[in-house]
Amino acid sequence: VCDMPLAFSLDQYGYAPDTEKLKELFAHFEFKSLLQRLPAMFGNDAGAPEAEPVRMETRLIETQEAAQELAAAIRCKGRLVFYPVTEGVLPAISFNGLALWDGKEAVYIPAGSDGWSCVAELLNDDRLEKNTYDAKVTYNACYGADLACSEIQTDILLMAYLLDPTAVEYPLSKLVETYLSGYASLHPDQYKDRTAAALWSVEAIARLQPVLYAALQDAKLETLYREIELPLVWVLSSMENYGITEIGR
């Protein structure tokens, strides 16, 4: 008999592991890559309602005067913390704007607005210590926009990779969760728009930098980071934008 009616539902036979116990198990045996893949495999909160996008108050820099004041304040501090919002693909990546951390709050300046060139010039000020996430994105966007950009000293993505090279990916939200206990752990995608997500991201970069740098020093990775990995980011960006020319031909 092959067509006997049976009262059952396929949903009753689904398998949902205890993710909290899995986290404990993976942490105990240091299965770091599996630990980071858990949310993607089973979700953070199975069955929980999807969160509404979060609205964030946005402080826009839209005048030449405001941009000049911001640039002067950043130069006075000697540190440029920024997160680029870009669009396009190689070799035509361009800036939509920059989120910046002025030491107290995050601000945003749209590309092409009054004062944009004043702020964009900060990227080529070699007196500033520049901090961002994924420096190659900034280098590529500068190439596309024909903007000069001096060396970026802090790349949060690169730091995270050196500290945990077995991880699959290094989103800012995960780094915040791992290294910044007590800081708001909302994912940038939960914000209403890209500008708000960029503001969240630039504050995360400012907070993560001293923590990750101290971790690099503790792990004796500072020399590798400064002398090999950071310069290589610029080389890779140049290769992606200009290709490779064989010397002598």
Side-chain angles (χ1 to χ4, degrees), residues 21-36 38 41-42:
K21 288 186 177 180
L22 273 180
K23 286 180 182 178
E24 293 177 8
L25 180 68
F26 290 169
H28 177 74
F29 290 105
E30 297 187 358
F31 294 159
K32 296 179 180 178
S33 60
L34 288 175
L35 190 60
Q36 294 204 348
L38 269 178
M41 291 189 292
F42 303 111

Side-chain angles (χ1 to χ4, degrees), residues 129-145:
E129 177 195 334
K130 300 176 194 67
N131 302 179
T132 193
Y133 174 88
D134 196 353
K136 189 151 66 77
V137 169
T138 298
Y139 288 140
N140 287 342
C142 284
Y143 283 126

Side-chain angles (χ1 to χ4, degrees), residues 210-221:
V211 177
L212 294 187
Y213 187 67
L216 282 179
Q217 291 180 310
D218 290 343
K220 310 297 183 187
L221 293 170

Side-chain angles (χ1 to χ4, degrees), residues 143-156:
Y143 283 126
D146 198 24
L147 287 174
C149 181
S150 58
E151 181 186 6
I152 295 172
Q153 292 88 355
T154 296
D155 185 340
I156 296 296

Side-chain angles (χ1 to χ4, degrees), residues 220-235:
K220 310 297 183 187
L221 293 170
E222 184 183 3
T223 300
L224 173 65
Y225 171 70
R226 293 286 182 199
E227 298 183 6
I228 298 177
E229 296 292 348
L230 264 181
L232 186 58
V233 174
W234 182 86
V235 172

